[in-house]
Amino acid sequence: MMTKTSNITASLMVGITLLMMSGFANAQQVKIGYVNFAQLLAESPQATSAMEVLQEEFAPRQREVVALQAELKEKQDQIQRDLDVMGPEERRNAENELRRDERELNRQQQEFTEDVNLRRNEALRKLQGELLREVQTYATQQGFDLVVAEGVVYASDAIDITAQVLEGLKAAFGAASGS
């Protein structure tokens, strides 16, 4: 993801490029396009597929964590019910066991979250590469001189090529999946 400084830098570079191209624009028409990369990430079948794969991959571990949460809750409830009839040593042992189980659950939840985040970031990097290649392919085929994405304050519908790139992504996904 781009930082605020890099967004400003990118915007300045686009502005400088446009100023440099103004002399070029007098000689020939410059074709500029805009693509909403966030929309491509949200709506492309590649993104949907990547998220489904991640959900399937981590579903068993998520079920394990949920089961451990339920077990811990049941133990807490059982200890609470039996608190009045427990002796001091039995109570201390039960509380120690409960704290140990809570630490184990917290450790497993943290590991699960870290693993999910690592895989999601890996999948996102791969997906961003695919989307960028599709934008570049479309821009080349359609003769665009410049296509911008991040750091754009305004882009008219006349230069927004997001829908066309999204159609290309859908077609590529259909061809890759054999539909």
Side-chain angles (χ1 to χ4, degrees):
M1 300 295 160
M2 295 182 73
T3 64
K4 188 174 185 176
T5 304
S6 58
N7 276 340
I8 292 170
T9 304
S11 296
L12 286 173
M13 293 303 293
V14 168
I16 291 169
T17 302
L18 290 174
L19 285 174
M20 290 172 48
M21 292 178 72
S22 64
F24 178 70
N26 291 335
Q28 77 180 50
Q29 191 67 17
V30 176
K31 191 170 182 181
I32 298 173
Y34 162 76
V35 67
N36 183 335
F37 213 73
Q39 182 180 351
L40 293 180
L41 280 172
E43 296 178 13
S44 71
Q46 290 85 343
T48 303
S49 176
M51 291 305 115
E52 288 171 357
V53 165
L54 285 176
Q55 285 177 337
E56 287 176 26
E57 180 179 338
F58 286 100
R61 282 185 60 194
Q62 185 174 17
R63 284 190 295 272
E64 285 178 27
V65 169
V66 169
L68 285 173
Q69 288 171 329
E71 286 177 29
L72 183 62
K73 175 73 171 120
E74 181 60 35
K75 279 185 180 180
Q76 288 172 331
D77 292 346
Q78 184 66 40
I79 290 172
Q80 192 65 34
R81 283 191 300 268
D82 297 344
L83 205 54
D84 293 335
V85 295
M86 288 182 175
E89 187 174 331
E90 190 179 11
R91 179 183 292 173
R92 188 173 40 256
N93 289 341
E95 288 173 347
N96 286 339
E97 184 179 336
L98 190 59
R99 278 193 294 276
R100 186 189 72 237
D101 291 347
E102 285 176 335
R103 282 191 301 270
E104 177 62 18
L105 174 63
N106 287 336
R107 183 189 64 77
Q108 287 195 22
Q109 285 175 323
Q110 185 176 4
E111 284 179 5
F112 174 74
T113 301
E114 288 173 1
D115 290 347
V116 167
N117 286 339
L118 284 172
R119 281 286 292 121
R120 186 182 62 231
N121 290 340
E122 180 183 298
L124 185 60
R125 278 190 300 276
K126 180 181 175 193
L127 178 62
Q128 287 173 331
E130 289 178 38
L131 299 180
L132 184 58
R133 282 188 295 279
E134 184 63 34
V135 170
Q136 291 169 339
T137 298
Y138 178 82
T140 301
Q141 290 173 348
Q142 298 300 316
F144 279 86
D145 298 303
L146 175 69
V147 175
V148 294
E150 301 296 326
V152 174
V153 176
Y154 172 78
S156 74
D157 291 340
I159 64 167
D160 189 347
I161 61 171
T162 306
Q164 294 88 339
V165 172
L166 192 55
E167 287 303 314
L169 286 164
K170 289 176 182 177
F173 184 79
S177 64
S179 314

